[in-house]
C-alpha cells in the first residue's frame, strides 16, 4: 500500500461542506427551546444605574429576563485571561473582573447587560426593546495612543495598563547600538482587524432536568477548554455535568478560542428556567463582540553596519487589549510576539518591550497568526528600510543575516530545530523571476503606472505546546494534545482527537496519517472531534498546533495499537513478538512467512476464545480489545519558515494597488496533504493581504465602532487576488516523528509585510501606514510626484 | 423586523391604490428588506409589484432604450439589445453590487431609492432619461432631488425608464472597496444635442457636471479635462474617501470614461 502522507487526497469533508450538508450549531434545534436576545450596551463606557425589566417581562411570549444582578446572586464567575504575564519590575499583570452580564459598568459597545428568553425569536426581540437600562455615560477611552494618559477605565488599574513587559537585555542592546554605523528607525501602527468567521457565533443549550446535565452546543475551537473554563471559573456546573459539543464550525481564526459571555449565560440560565435555549449572533453582534485582532503601536530600531550586518534590534510597543483581558489576550502581544520580532536573523542583541493597555473597545485576542504577524511586520518592514537606506538589495541584506546552521538559537527565546532559509529565499527569487522585475517595472512605467516588488522572509513559532515551557511563560494549562484510536471488531477504525477542525480538514489529514500507521484503507477510518463526551480531552485548535501536537498523539496511539497487535499476532502465528514485523497492515513472521492482517488481529482481540489452532490469541496478562490512547507533549514549538515575494502595480491617478504577482515559498517540514496545505496558504494569504490593503476596524472618539458592517469593513475578495504561485522547501521538524511543522498561519504572517514592502518599494521608499488604501496611496503618489519634480 | 401587511398587487392601479405614506413598494427588496431588518425603516404595508408583468422588460427603438421598472440588473447586464444600443449601460448594470444583488435588485427600485452612491442615477442624467410613472413623464434632471429624495409622490409608481441612445458613452466607477457602491462614478455621454457628465457618489445627490461637459463639448478628449478645476465643496467625506480625494477622482474617472468612449 502506497503511503498516503504526501498525497493530494481529496477532502472527506467536501461532500458535506460543498453541498450545504454541514451541521452547524444554528442547525440544531431542541424541542421546546426558547430564544435568547442579549441587551447590549450602546455606550463604550458607562455606569449602570438601573435595569428595569418590568415592562419587558409582561411582553408576549417572554419566559424570563436575567441581568447582571442575577449572575452575581448566583455567584457565576466571569471570563478570564488564560496567561499570567509579569511586568519588567516583577509585578503581576492587572486584570479587571469581566462578569458574563455587566452589573455595575459597561466597557465597550456590545458589552451584554441583560438577556431575554422568549418563546419565539420575534417575541424575544420585541421584549428586548422594552428593557430599560439607565446609564450614566462616561468619557470613553478609545484611542490606543492616549490610553495610558486617560482616566482609568477599571478601578485600581493605573494608566489603564495591564503590564509593562520586557523580553531581552536592554544593556546589551545599548552596547550593540553604540557600535552601529547606522540606526534605522521605524514607527508602525498595526491596524486592528475583525476576524469575520463566515459562521457567526451561536450556542444551543439543552438542560436535562432529570440528570441535571447541561449540553452546550457551541461555535468553539476548543470545546474541552470551554468546558473546563465554564466549570472551573464560571461555576456553571461540575465538569461531569457539562457536555460541550462544537459541531461543524464555520471558521474561527482565533475568535472562537474564547469562551464567551453568551455561552456561560445561556448554560447557567437553561438550568434556571429549565428550558433549552438557542442563541445565534447577528452579524452586527459578530462585528461588535467577537474578539478583534492586532492593534499595536510600535516604535522599532535596528542597528546595522554599513555593509548590512545586523547588530541589534529593539521594539517598544503599546498593545491594545480592548476592554477586558481574554484567554490569549495577554500572551498574544508578549510571548507570541516578542520572540519573533527579531525575525529569521542572527541578531546579537535584542529586546521587546510591550505595554498592554485597556481601552473601551471590544476585547483583542488571538487572530490568525496572533502576535507573529505583528512581529514579522515590524522586522520585515525595518529590514527593508535598512536595505533601502544602505543601498543594498532586499534579498542580499536578508541572505547576509540568515543563520545557516541548525539548530539555531534565536536571540530571545527559541531554539529552532531545523530550517534552510537560504534555500527558501533562493527558490522564491527564482519562482518570482526577481531578476526580471526591472523590465516589468519599465513596462509599467511606460503605461504611466508604478511597479514595486516586496520581499519577506519569516519564521514563526507555532504548534503551540510544550506544556512545561508554556506554563513557565504563564499559561494556565498544559498545551499537550490527546488522541484515542479504536479498532472496531469488524476492522474499521475511529480516531478521537482533542483537536478541533473548523476549516482545517482534520478528518482527511488525520485519517491519512492513521491509515499510514495502521495500514487500513482511509475509507475505513473516521475522525471524531468536537465533543467532550467523545474522546479523552483536548486543548483544541489554534496556533497551528493540530497536526504537530494532536496529529502526533494519533501517531503514538497508532503505534501502541501496532505494539499490542504484534503480541496478539505473535500468539496467533506461533512466534515471539520480536519475530513479528508490521507492514502495510499485516503482521508477518519472516521465518515462517505466516501473516495476519491487522483486521484479523483486531477481530481476534475482541473474541479471545478458542480460534484456529490457538487456544486464545491474547497473550497472558493482555486485556481484550484494541483501543489505545496517547497524550503528546512535544519537546518544542515547531518553526515553519519561508520567503514570499510579491509585485504590485499602482495607478498614480487613483491610488489603486493591483496585486499582480504573489509567490510564496514555505517550509512546513513534511507535508501530509499538499491540497489542504495549499488551501491553508491561500486563505492565510488572503487574510494577510486583507490587512495590508483593505481591512481596518475603526472606533470613533466616543468608542462607537464605525466599521460594524460589510458596507464599511472591507474584506478581501477573490477578484482582488492574483493567482498564487506556491512552492515548498522541506527541512523536517526534529521534534516529532512525522517531521511536520504548522502551516495554518504562515500565509497571514508573511503576506502583510510582503505586500506593504512592495507598495512602499513602488513609492520609492515612501512610508505609508496600514492598510494601503487607494486614497493613502494616491496622496503618496502626489507627494512623490512633487518631490521628483523638485529634484529634477 | 416589525410586523406588516404584505400585498401582491396584480396591476399598477391596485398597487397605487394600496400605497400610503406608510407603505413601500417591494421590487428587488435589496434596500427595503435590509433596512427593515436593521430597524432603520418600518412600514404598515409592503406592496409587492414584481407580479405586474407590464413593469418588466426591455424595448429598443431607433433612438431610445426603454427598461421596465422591475427589470433586474442582471437582465440589463445580459441583454443583447442593451449591449448593442448602449453598451455602457449594460456594463454599468454588470458592475452593481454582487451577483445576488444583481439577480434581485431592479432599476426602478434603484432610482426610486436615489442612493447618493447608486450607479443608475448617473446613467439617467447622462443619457437624458425620461422616467415614466403611472401618471406622468419626468425628465431625469428634475427627478433626482436630493439625498434619497426624488420627485415621486407616495402613490406614484415608476413604470419604465427611457434612455436616449448616445453617439458614444462610457461609465467608469471607483467602487467602494467594502460595499462596491460608487465612491465616485462618472457617466460620460456624447449626444448629437450635447454632452452630459453624470456624476454619482461624489455629492449628496447625482448631478450633471457642467464644467466637465463644457470642456468636453469644445474638445472631446481626456486632455480637455486636465484644465478643469473640480471643487471639493459639496463633496462627501467619509472613512472611505475624503472630499479632496473624491474631487480628484471625479476628474480621474471622467478622463477614464472619455478614453473608453
Ligand atoms: C450588498 C448590496 C450592494 C449593492 N451595491 C450596489 C451598487 O454597487 N450600486 C448600486 O447602484 N446599487 C447597489 N445596491 C442597491 C441595489 O442595486 C438595488 O437596486 C437597490 O437596493 C434598490 O432596488 P430594489 O429593486 O431592490 O428596490 P426595493 O428595495 O424593493 O425598493 C427600494 C425603494 O424603491 C421603491 N420602489 C421600488 N420600485 C419602485 C417603483 N417601480 N416605483 C416607485 N418606487 C419604487 C420602494 O418603495 C422602496 O422605497 C446594492 C445593494 C446591496 C444590498
Amino acid at each position: 500500500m502506497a503511503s498516503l502522507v504526501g498525497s493530494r487526497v481529496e477532502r472527506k469533508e467536501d461532500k458535506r461542506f460543498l453541498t450545504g450538508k454541514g451541521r452547524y450549531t444554528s442547525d440544531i434545534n431542541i424541542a421546546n427551546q426558547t430564544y435568547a436576545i442579549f441587551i447590549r450596551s450602546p455606550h463604550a463606557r458607562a455606569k449602570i444605574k438601573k435595569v428595569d425589566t418590568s415592562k419587558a417581562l409582561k411582553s408576549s411570549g417572554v419566559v424570563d429576563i436575567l441581568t447582571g444582578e442575577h449572575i452575581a446572586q448566583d455567584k457565576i464567575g466571569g471570563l478570564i485571561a488564560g496567561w499570567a504575564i509579569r511586568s519588567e519590575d516583577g509585578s503581576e499583570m492587572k486584570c479587571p473582573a469581566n462578569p458574563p452580564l455587566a452589573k455595575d459598568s459597561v466597557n465597550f459597545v456590545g458589552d451584554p447587560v441583560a438577556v431575554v428568553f422568549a418563546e419565539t425569536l420575534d417575541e424575544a426581540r420585541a421584549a428586548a426593546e422594552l428593557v430599560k437600562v439607565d446609564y450614566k455615560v462616561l468619557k470613553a477611552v478609545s484611542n490606543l495612543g492616549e490610553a495610558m494618559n486617560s482616566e482609568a477605565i477599571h478601578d485600581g488599574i493605573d494608566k489603564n495598563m495591564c503590564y509593562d513587559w520586557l523580553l531581552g537585555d536592554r544593556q546589551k542592546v545599548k552596547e550593540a547600538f553604540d557600535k552601529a554605523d547606522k540606526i534605522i528607525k521605524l514607527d508602525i501602527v498595526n491596524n486592528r482587524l475583525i476576524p469575520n468567521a463566515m459562521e457567526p457565533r451561536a450556542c444551543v443549550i439543552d438542560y436535562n432536568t432529570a440528570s441535571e446535565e447541561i449540553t452546550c452546543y457551541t461555535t468553539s475551537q476548543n470545546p474541552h477548554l470551554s468546558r473546563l473554563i465554564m466549570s472551573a471559573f464560571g461555576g456553571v456546573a461540575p465538569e461531569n455535568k457539562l457536555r460541550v459539543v462544537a459541531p461543524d464550525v464555520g471558521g474561527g481564526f482565533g475568535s472562537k478560542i474564547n469562551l464567551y459571555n453568551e455561552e456561560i449565560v445561556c448554560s447557567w440560565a437553561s438550568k434556571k428556567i429549565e428550558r433549552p435555549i438557542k442563541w445565534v449572533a447577528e452579524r452586527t453582534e459578530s462585528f461588535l463582540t467577537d474578539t478583534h485582532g492586532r492593534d499595536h503601536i510600535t516604535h522599532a530600531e535596528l542597528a546595522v553596519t554599513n555593509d548590512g550586518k545586523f547588530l541589534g534590534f529593539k521594539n517598544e510597543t503599546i498593545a491594545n487589549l480592548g476592554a477586558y483581558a481574554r484567554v490569549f489576550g495577554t500572551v498574544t502581544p508578549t510571548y507570541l510576539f516578542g520572540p519573533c520580532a527579531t525575525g529569521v536573523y542572527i541578531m546579537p542583541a535584542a529586546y521587546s518591550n510591550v505595554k498592554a493597555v485597556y481601552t473601551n473597545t471590544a476585547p483583542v485576542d488571538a487572530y490568525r497568526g496572533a502576535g507573529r504577524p505583528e512581529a514579522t511586520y515590524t522586522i520585515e518592514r525595518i529590514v527593508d528600510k535598512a536595505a533601502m537606506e544602505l543601498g543594498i538589495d532586499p534579498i542580499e541584506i536578508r541572505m547576509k543575516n540568515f543563520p545557516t546552521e541548525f539548530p539555531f538559537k534565536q536571540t530571545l527565546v527559541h531554539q529552532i530545530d531545523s530550517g534552510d532559509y537560504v534555500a527558501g529565499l533562493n527558490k522564491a527569487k527564482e519562482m518570482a523571476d526577481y531578476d526580471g522585475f526591472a523590465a516589468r517595472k519599465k513596462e509599467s512605467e511606460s503605461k504611466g503606472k508604478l511597479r514595486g516588488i516586496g520581499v519577506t522572509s519569516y519564521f514563526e513559532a507555532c504548534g503551540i505546546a510544550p506544556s512545561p515551557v508554556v506554563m513557565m511563560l504563564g499559561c494556565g494549562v498544559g498545551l499537550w494534545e490527546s488522541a484515542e484510536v479504536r479498532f472496531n471488531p469488524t476492522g474499521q477504525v475511529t480516531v478521537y482527537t482533542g483537536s478541533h477542525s473548523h476549516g482545517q480538514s482534520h478528518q482527511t489529514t488525520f485519517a491519512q496519517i492513521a491509515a499510514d500507521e495502521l495500514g487500513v484503507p482511509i475509507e475505513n477510518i473516521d475522525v471524531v472531534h468536537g465533543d467532550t463526551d467523545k474522546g479523552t480531552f483536548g486543548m483544541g485548535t489554534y496556533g497551528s498546533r493540530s497536526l504537530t501536537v494532536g496529529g502526533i498523539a494519533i501517531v503514538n496511539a497508532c503505534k501502541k495499537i501496532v505494539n499490542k497487535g504484534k503480541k496478539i499476532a505473535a500468539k496467533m502465528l506461533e512466534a515471539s513478538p520480536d519475530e513479528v514485523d508490521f507492514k502495510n497492515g499485516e503482521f508477518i513472521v519472516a521465518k515462517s512467512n505466516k501473516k495476519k492482517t491487522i483486521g484479523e488481529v483486531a477481530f481476534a482481540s475482541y473474541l479471545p476464545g478458542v480460534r484456529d489452532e490457538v487456544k486464545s490469541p491474547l497473550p497472558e496478562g493482555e486485556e481484550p480489545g484494541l483501543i489505545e490512547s496517547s497524550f503528546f507533549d512535544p519537546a518544542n514549538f515547531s518553526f515553519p519558515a519561508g520567503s514570499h515575494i510579491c509585485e504590485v502595480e499602482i495607478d498614480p491617478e487613483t491610488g489603486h494597488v493591483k496585486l499582480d504577482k504573489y509567490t510564496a515559498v514555505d517550509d512546513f517540514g513534511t507535508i501530509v496533504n499538499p491540497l489542504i496545505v495549499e488551501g491553508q496558504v491561500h486563505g492565510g494569504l488572503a487574510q494577510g493581504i486583507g490587512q495590508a490593503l483593505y481591512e481596518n476596524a475603526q472606533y470613533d472618539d466616543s468608542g462607537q465602532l464605525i466599521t460594524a458592517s460589510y458596507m464599511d469593513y472591507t474584506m478581501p475578495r477573490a477578484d482582488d487576488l492574483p493567482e498564487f504561485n506556491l512552492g515548498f522547501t522541506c527541512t523536517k521538524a526534529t521534534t516529532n516523528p512525522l517531521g511536520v511543522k504548522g502551516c495554518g498561519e504562515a500565509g497571514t504572517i508573511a503576506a502583510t509585510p510582503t505586500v506593504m514592502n512592495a507598495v512602499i518599494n513602488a513609492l520609492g521608499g515612501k512610508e505609508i501606514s496600514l492598510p494601503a488604501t487607494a486614497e493613502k496611496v494616491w496622496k503618496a503618489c502626489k507627494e512623490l510626484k512633487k518631490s521628483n519634480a523638485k529634484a529634477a | 423586523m416589525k410586523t406588516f401587511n404584505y400585498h401582491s398587487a396584480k396591476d399598477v392601479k391596485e398597487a397605487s391604490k394600496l400605497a400610503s405614506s406608510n407603505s413601500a413598494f417591494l421590487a428587488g427588496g435589496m434596500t427595503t428588506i435590509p433596512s427593515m431588518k436593521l430597524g432603520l425603516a418600518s412600514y404598515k404595508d409592503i406592496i409587492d409589484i414584481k407580479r405586474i408583468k407590464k413593469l418588466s422588460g426591455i424595448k429598443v427603438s431607433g433612438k431610445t432604450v426603454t427598461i421596465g421598472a422591475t427589470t433586474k440588473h442582471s437582465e440589463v447586464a445580459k441583454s443583447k439589445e442593451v449591449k448593442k444600443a448602449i453598451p455602457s449601460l449594460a456594463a454599468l448594470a454588470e458592475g452593481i453590487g454582487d451577483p445576488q444583488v444583481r439577480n434581485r435588485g431592479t432599476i426602478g427600485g434603484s432610482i426610486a431609492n436615489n442612493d447618493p452612491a447608486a450607479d443608475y442615477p448617473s446613467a439617467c442624467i447622462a443619457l437624458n432619461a425620461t422616467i415614466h410613472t403611472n401618471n406622468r413623464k419626468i425628465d431625469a434632471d428634475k427627478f433626482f432631488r436630493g439625498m434619497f429624495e426624488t420627485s415621486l409622490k407616495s402613490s406614484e409608481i415608476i413604470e419604465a425608464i427611457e434612455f436616449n441612445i448616445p453617439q458614444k458613452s462610457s461609465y467608469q466607477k471607483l467602487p467602494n472597496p467594502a460595499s462596491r457602491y460608487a465612491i465616485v462614478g462618472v457617466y460620460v455621454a456624447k449626444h448629437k444635442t450635447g454632452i452630459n457628465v453624470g456624476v454619482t457618489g461624489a455629492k449628496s445627490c447625482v448631478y450633471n457636471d457642467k464644467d466637465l461637459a463644457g470642456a468636453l463639448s469644445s474638445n472631446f478628449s481626456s486632455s480637455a479635462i486636465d484644465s478643469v478645476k473640480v471643487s471639493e465643496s459639496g463633496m462627501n467625506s467619509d472613512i472611505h474617501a475624503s472630499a479632496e480625494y473624491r474631487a480628484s477622482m471625479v476628474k480621474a474617472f471622467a478622463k477614464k470614461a472619455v478614453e473608453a468612449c
Side-chain angles (χ1 to χ4, degrees):
Chain A
M1 203 170 85
S3 167
L4 286 183
V5 168
S7 62
R8 307 174 77 88
V9 175
E10 281 187 18
R11 300 194 314 162
K12 284 179 171 239
E13 291 89 343
D14 279 345
K15 184 173 175 192
R16 126 167 156 270
F17 290 154
L18 301 183
T19 60
K21 302 246 163 59
R23 190 169 186 251
Y24 297 87
T25 299
S26 66
D27 293 325
I28 295 167
N29 290 296
I30 313 282
N32 205 27
Q33 72 195 10
T34 63
Y35 294 83
I37 289 284
F38 282 80
I39 289 106
R40 299 178 184 279
S41 171
H43 309 294
R45 184 170 169 233
K47 292 267 177 249
I48 300 171
K49 293 205 292 203
K50 195 176 164 206
V51 183
D52 180 359
T53 58
S54 54
K55 211 166 156 203
L57 276 166
K58 289 185 211 128
S59 181
S60 128
V62 169
V63 175
D64 206 349
I65 300 177
L66 299 174
T67 66
E69 287 289 351
H70 297 108
I71 283 269
Q73 277 160 17
D74 285 9
K75 300 198 165 53
I76 296 302
L79 298 150
I80 54 153
W83 294 66
I85 304 296
R86 274 180 193 281
S87 286
E88 185 179 359
D89 66 9
S91 61
E92 284 178 17
M93 68 175 186
K94 298 189 180 67
C95 292
N98 185 187
L101 291 175
K103 182 165 80 70
D104 304 314
S105 66
V106 285
N107 289 298
F108 69 100
V109 173
D111 212 352
V113 173
V115 58
V116 174
F117 304 106
E119 300 294 345
T120 69
L121 192 54
D122 282 340
E123 286 170 323
R125 279 208 188 100
E129 284 182 17
L130 300 174
V131 174
K132 291 267 168 303
V133 186
D134 195 2
Y135 294 103
K136 179 176 189 282
V137 179
L138 302 172
K139 190 171 167 8
V141 178
S142 63
N143 183 305
L144 175 58
E146 289 163 15
M148 286 189 288
N149 303 319
S150 303
E151 202 182 345
I153 299 170
H154 302 291
D155 288 344
I157 301 185
D158 208 26
K159 289 182 168 172
N160 291 314
M161 205 194 308
C162 177
Y163 52 71
D164 181 353
W165 172 85
L166 179 81
L167 180 69
D169 190 329
R170 288 185 194 269
Q171 184 52 35
K172 266 200 190 153
V173 169
K174 188 179 176 305
E175 286 161 17
F177 273 60
D178 286 344
K179 282 187 288 190
D181 292 330
K182 208 168 170 121
I183 313 283
I184 315 296
K185 296 181 181 174
L186 185 67
D187 287 292
I188 290 170
V189 174
N190 206 287
N191 47 331
R192 187 184 184 107
L193 305 176
I194 300 176
N196 281 296
M198 205 183 284
E199 179 204 21
R201 293 190 293 112
C203 64
V204 174
I205 315 293
D206 187 9
Y207 175 63
N208 184 320
T209 49
S211 68
E212 296 183 356
E213 198 187 53
I214 298 170
T215 302
C216 167
Y217 299 91
T218 180
T219 50
S220 173
Q221 299 179 213
N222 31 240
H224 296 269
L225 204 58
S226 286
R227 180 176 72 162
L228 179 65
I229 296 173
M230 187 140 50
S231 182
F233 296 92
V236 169
E239 268 184 285
N240 62 325
K241 293 291 183 192
L242 192 53
R243 175 181 172 203
V244 178
V245 184
D248 284 333
V249 174
F253 313 114
S255 73
K256 291 174 182 166
I257 294 175
N258 277 276
L259 173 73
Y260 283 85
N261 312 55
E262 294 84 0
E263 291 139 293
I264 299 184
V265 169
C266 292
S267 296
W268 157 75
S270 179
K271 202 164 164 179
K272 232 175 148 65
I273 67 173
E274 300 199 339
R275 289 280 297 275
I277 295 171
K278 179 167 193 166
W279 171 76
V280 181
E282 292 182 356
R283 185 54 72 179
T284 309
E285 291 180 293
S286 307
F287 273 101
L288 292 175
T289 67
D290 287 5
T291 56
H292 293 181
R294 319 279 188 258
D295 208 352
H296 289 189
I297 297 174
T298 292
H299 173 77
E301 295 186 12
L302 179 68
V304 293
T305 63
N306 281 333
D307 64 350
K309 273 269 179 206
F310 303 156
L311 301 177
F313 170 82
K314 63 181 175 191
N315 107 67
E316 307 274 357
T317 290
I318 305 170
N320 201 345
L321 292 178
Y324 306 103
R326 292 276 172 88
V327 171
F328 274 80
T330 53
V331 73
T332 296
T334 51
Y335 289 106
L336 297 183
F337 167 73
C340 293
T342 55
V344 261
Y345 309 108
I346 296 170
M347 191 71 74
Y351 78 77
S352 272
N353 174 217
V354 179
K355 297 175 175 70
V357 301
Y358 295 104
T359 58
N360 293 116
T361 63
V364 179
D365 205 286
Y367 169 59
R368 201 171 191 171
R372 290 146 291 159
E374 297 90 312
T376 306
Y377 189 74
T378 307
I379 186 73
E380 287 306 294
R381 284 285 311 111
I382 205 167
V383 162
D384 244 42
K385 199 170 177 209
M388 180 111 44
E389 288 189 18
L390 295 170
I392 301 175
D393 178 87
I395 287 189
E396 193 191 326
I397 199 167
R398 287 175 167 84
M399 289 283 191
K400 246 187 190 156
N401 291 283
F402 279 162
T404 48
E405 274 167 32
F406 290 84
F408 163 58
K409 175 83 180 71
Q410 182 258 3
T411 323
L412 289 174
V413 171
H414 296 298
Q415 169 92 6
I416 298 173
D417 59 335
S418 66
D420 186 345
Y421 304 154
V422 174
L425 184 50
N426 273 331
K427 183 160 184 177
K429 184 181 172 187
E430 194 176 303
M431 283 174 61
D433 183 26
Y434 189 79
D435 296 334
F437 170 70
R440 290 189 293 277
K441 187 177 165 82
K442 250 206 185 125
E443 200 189 313
S444 295
E445 282 168 356
S446 74
K447 294 182 293 179
K449 304 277 167 67
L450 305 175
R451 182 174 278 269
I453 192 161
V455 181
T456 281
S457 294
Y458 77 95
F459 93 100
E460 65 132 332
C462 66
I464 183 165
S467 300
V469 180
V470 296
M471 293 192 74
M472 188 188 73
L473 299 180
C475 185
V477 290
L479 292 181
W480 40 261
E481 194 50 85
S482 80
E484 185 174 301
V485 177
R486 294 187 196 166
F487 251 101
N488 296 328
T490 50
Q492 315 86 30
V493 175
T494 309
V495 174
Y496 296 84
T497 171
S499 302
H500 184 275
S501 183
H502 33 279
Q504 293 86 348
S505 320
H506 294 167
Q507 281 175 308
T508 307
T509 305
F510 288 178
Q512 279 176 260
I513 57 180
D516 271 13
E517 292 294 328
L518 301 173
V520 171
I522 189 164
E523 299 74 32
N524 292 351
I525 300 176
D526 285 301
V527 176
V528 175
H529 67 87
D531 185 341
T532 56
D533 266 12
K534 291 181 182 166
T536 40
F537 201 93
M539 301 316 295
T541 288
Y542 37 79
S544 304
R545 66 191 302 274
S546 300
L547 181 60
T548 57
V549 193
I552 306 305
I554 294 169
V555 170
N556 290 349
C558 289
K559 289 199 192 305
K560 286 187 187 172
I561 294 254
V562 170
N563 272 342
K564 181 169 179 184
K566 263 188 190 164
K567 291 185 216 159
I568 298 168
K571 188 110 188 274
M572 293 170 84
L573 299 169
E574 297 173 307
S576 73
D578 51 19
E579 289 171 325
V580 180
D581 285 326
F582 180 70
K583 227 176 124 184
N584 296 335
E586 289 176 332
F587 294 97
I588 306 163
V589 176
K591 63 172 190 201
S592 60
N593 204 23
K594 288 205 285 186
K595 50 183 139 177
K596 290 279 176 199
T597 68
I598 193 165
E600 290 171 304
V601 169
F603 187 69
S605 77
Y606 283 98
L607 290 99
V610 179
R611 331 178 31 80
D612 301 339
E613 62 281 11
V614 186
K615 281 235 163 60
S616 163
L618 285 186
E620 278 282 313
E622 217 39 82
E623 294 170 2
L626 201 53
I627 296 178
E628 296 287 352
S629 67
S630 171
F631 279 57
F632 180 66
D633 206 340
N636 205 344
F637 287 76
S638 95
F639 302 101
S643 286
H644 292 198
I645 298 180
C646 94
E647 271 178 49
V648 297
E649 192 178 66
I650 293 175
D651 180 349
E653 294 278 314
T654 63
H656 179 254
V657 177
K658 179 179 160 216
L659 203 55
D660 194 41
K661 282 156 67 83
Y662 198 105
T663 304
V665 174
D666 297 293
D667 177 358
F668 299 136
T670 305
I671 289 179
V672 175
N673 186 328
L675 196 64
I676 289 169
V677 168
E678 286 163 14
Q680 288 290 314
V681 175
H682 286 182
L685 292 176
Q687 282 174 305
I689 291 164
Q691 176 171 24
L693 298 178
Y694 311 111
E695 298 185 46
N696 197 20
Q698 300 176 65
Y699 284 89
D700 69 9
D701 288 343
S702 68
Q704 293 294 331
L705 182 64
I706 52 179
T707 52
S709 84
Y710 293 121
M711 298 304 273
D712 290 310
Y713 188 89
T714 311
M715 297 290 286
R717 303 194 196 197
D719 63 353
D720 294 320
L721 306 172
E723 180 87 32
F724 295 127
N725 189 15
L726 305 190
F728 297 94
T729 59
C730 176
T731 59
K732 290 189 179 188
T734 63
T735 48
N736 67 65
L738 287 179
V740 292
K741 303 177 182 178
C743 75
E745 295 163 295
T748 321
I749 291 168
T752 312
T754 310
V755 172
M756 285 302 275
N757 281 344
V759 170
I760 290 166
N761 176 267
L763 297 173
K766 198 167 168 39
E767 285 296 325
I768 180 170
S769 64
L770 285 165
T773 59
E775 178 166 0
K776 279 192 216 165
V777 173
W778 169 77
K779 277 206 173 110
C781 289
K782 264 201 345 187
E783 286 161 23
L784 188 67
K785 210 169 154 189
K786 251 191 226 155
S787 58
N788 284 351
K790 243 188 227 153
Chain B
M1 200 177 337
K2 297 272 172 12
T3 53
F4 55 85
N5 302 312
Y6 171 84
H7 314 267
S8 183
K10 62 178 185 309
D11 56 30
V12 172
K13 211 164 148 197
E14 188 192 354
S16 174
K17 220 165 131 196
L18 285 163
S20 70
S21 58
N22 201 3
S23 71
F25 297 117
L26 187 68
M30 291 289 97
T31 294
T32 303
I33 291 174
S35 39
M36 289 168 76
K37 282 175 79 176
L38 288 168
L40 300 172
S42 64
Y43 304 99
K44 192 165 138 280
D45 297 288
I46 289 291
I47 306 151
D48 195 336
I49 55 170
K50 286 195 302 292
R51 302 249 171 88
I52 306 172
K53 283 224 172 69
K54 171 184 167 193
L55 293 183
S56 169
I58 296 168
K59 269 184 253 125
V60 178
S61 72
K63 286 187 183 151
T64 63
V65 172
T66 303
I67 301 176
T70 60
T71 310
K72 293 170 190 149
H73 307 330
S74 58
E75 290 165 346
V76 176
K78 286 184 201 127
S79 157
K80 286 204 182 91
E81 295 104 308
V82 179
K83 278 188 189 165
K84 195 159 161 241
I86 318 178
S88 59
L89 188 61
L92 175 148
E94 181 65 34
I96 294 175
D98 49 50
Q100 288 85 342
V101 169
R102 293 195 289 273
N103 284 334
R104 292 205 74 93
T106 67
I107 187 167
S110 177
I111 68 163
N113 193 46
N114 193 18
D115 188 309
D119 297 302
Y120 270 129
S122 70
C124 295
I125 293 291
L127 301 174
N128 293 325
T130 307
I131 320 299
H132 296 246
T133 77
N134 52 336
N135 49 33
R136 56 182 168 148
K137 292 181 186 178
I138 312 169
D139 285 345
D141 56 5
K142 302 220 170 58
F143 182 83
F144 302 103
R145 298 273 289 268
M147 192 151 117
F148 296 107
E149 207 192 312
T150 66
S151 52
L152 285 176
K153 306 253 160 49
S154 64
S155 61
E156 198 168 10
I157 296 174
I158 302 172
E159 295 189 336
I161 298 101
E162 184 181 0
F163 296 98
N164 282 326
I165 299 172
Q167 293 169 315
K168 293 179 185 184
S169 66
S170 169
Y171 177 64
Q172 296 292 325
K173 161 179 174 182
L174 173 65
N176 177 316
S179 71
R180 305 264 161 133
Y181 273 91
I183 280 184
V184 160
V186 183
Y187 207 130
V188 172
K190 189 168 191 279
H191 301 270
K192 260 203 190 121
T193 50
I195 287 165
N196 291 324
V197 180
V199 178
T200 188
K203 295 188 177 178
S204 60
C205 184
V206 67
Y207 65 98
N208 194 355
D209 194 313
K210 297 271 156 57
D211 296 341
L212 289 172
L216 289 172
S217 40
S218 42
N219 172 16
F220 195 81
S221 75
S222 65
S223 59
I225 289 172
D226 283 329
S227 57
V228 180
K229 234 187 131 52
V230 176
S231 160
E232 285 172 36
S233 116
M235 291 278 166
N236 298 330
S237 186
D238 53 37
I239 57 166
H240 300 289
S242 66
E244 182 199 2
Y245 182 58
R246 276 199 169 83
S248 228
M249 290 309 105
V250 168
K251 251 175 103 162
F253 281 79
K255 282 169 81 170
K256 280 183 197 288
V258 171
E259 279 157 18
C261 266

